[in-house]
Amino acid sequence: MGGLVFLFGLLMGSFYNVVAFRLLKGQSPVYPPSHCPACQHRLGFWDLIPLLSYFLLKGKCRYCQASISPLYPLGEGLCALSFYLVYQKTGLSRELVTGWALASLLVLSVLTDLRQKIILDKITFPMLALILLLRLWTGEGPWWWYPLGGLVGAGVLGSIAALSRGGLGGGDVKLYLPVGVALGPGLTLLSISLAALSGALLGGLLMAMGRIRRRDPLPFAPFIWLGTMVAYLYGTELWDWYSHLWS
């Protein structure tokens, strides 16, 4: 079953690549059929096999030899990994649907942020509505617990953005509305802490290597993906470990 889930994640990741690319350009995510952005040639079945086609074609279009962005295999692999890890945690339960919706939101946000340093409202807000409905169906505890998580997430990150004076964008802040709804307040704070820590570590490393300067923007969505997935998958265990450490 795990192999089928991974394959499904690859297929969804391939679709999310198209959605992210076309929404950034203001185009329909479903029409016209997949084609090369450079030469407009319609792509065939052998051009669209997730991960495999990219490496068999050596990262170039079969028809015009234009370079294919490595974001395509990255999106496919990231989605497959996310879907598989969520399935390993939830099994075939109602929570699987919520976990996959959260993973889909995160992957789409990573793809748009890496392409153009933008997290699109047209992705964030529809996913907020979907995740809120799913949480009312799958959540445990009082109904207001998960909406409170969204408010906490956006509030905390909004405060960090204000204090950083441009270090974080509004898209990152709004992204934590659906993320917080999915996680609830406690795990949302853990997600923010892990995202900020991993971002600071990589940013510091890149500055030390001379790859970026202090005020250069660094896409934050990949770190939100990391912090949120760790919090969602292992947050309860991490809190238990931390509590026992200090007890």
Side-chain angles (χ1 to χ4, degrees):
M1 185 64 183
L4 291 176
V5 168
F6 192 83
L7 177 59
F8 176 64
L10 284 175
L11 294 172
M12 292 303 296
S14 181
F15 174 64
Y16 291 157
N17 274 320
V18 175
V19 171
F21 180 82
R22 293 191 181 183
L23 287 182
L24 285 170
K25 291 185 172 293
Q27 301 172 349
S28 168
V30 295
Y31 184 85
S34 295
H35 56 276
C36 171
C39 68
Q40 306 302 312
H41 195 289
R42 182 170 176 174
L43 301 180
F45 172 79
W46 297 108
D47 305 312
L48 297 171
I49 303 174
L51 290 183
L52 188 60
S53 291
Y54 180 85
F55 293 105
L56 289 178
L57 295 172
K58 299 180 180 179
K60 293 185 178 181
C61 172
R62 182 193 304 274
Y63 309 100
C64 69
Q65 298 302 302
S67 295
I68 301 172
S69 171
L71 289 179
Y72 285 101
L74 173 66
E76 293 161 356
L78 193 65
C79 189
L81 175 63
S82 301
F83 274 36
Y84 177 77
L85 290 175
V86 169
Y87 166 73
Q88 288 294 102
K89 175 180 175 61
T90 67
L92 294 175
S93 66
R94 293 189 303 177
E95 180 60 28
L96 179 66
V97 183
T98 303
W100 279 359
L102 175 62
S104 298
L105 167 68
L106 295 170
V107 170
L108 283 165
S109 299
V110 168
L111 290 173
T112 61
D113 205 18
L114 289 178
R115 282 188 181 277
Q116 293 188 15
K117 296 184 175 65
I118 296 173
I119 298 176
L120 295 172
D121 289 350
K122 63 181 66 177
I123 292 174
T124 299
F125 288 117
M127 292 302 292
L128 169 61
L130 174 61
I131 291 173
L132 180 57
L133 288 174
L134 289 172
R135 265 293 166 243
L136 294 175
W137 179 47
T138 63
E140 299 177 356
W143 67 268
W144 47 263
W145 179 249
Y146 292 100
L148 178 61
L151 295 176
V152 167
V156 170
L157 209 68
S159 300
I160 295 173
L163 292 172
S164 66
R165 298 181 181 179
L168 288 173
D172 300 312
V173 175
K174 287 178 279 189
L175 178 58
Y176 259 98
L177 285 169
V179 166
V181 170
L183 296 180
L187 294 183
T188 296
L189 293 175
L190 177 61
S191 167
I192 293 173
S193 300
L194 293 172
L197 177 62
S198 58
L201 289 174
L202 181 59
L205 177 62
L206 292 175
M207 282 191 289
M209 296 170 60
R211 301 294 296 273
I212 63 172
R213 293 174 295 181
R214 183 175 181 83
R215 301 302 296 179
D216 286 346
L218 190 66
F220 194 53
F223 305 109
I224 296 177
W225 173 86
L226 177 62
T228 300
M229 290 301 295
V230 171
Y232 179 79
L233 295 168
Y234 312 112
T236 302
E237 291 81 356
L238 287 173
W239 281 128
D240 289 344
W241 173 81
Y242 184 80
S243 298
H244 284 109
L245 183 66
W246 293 98
S247 61

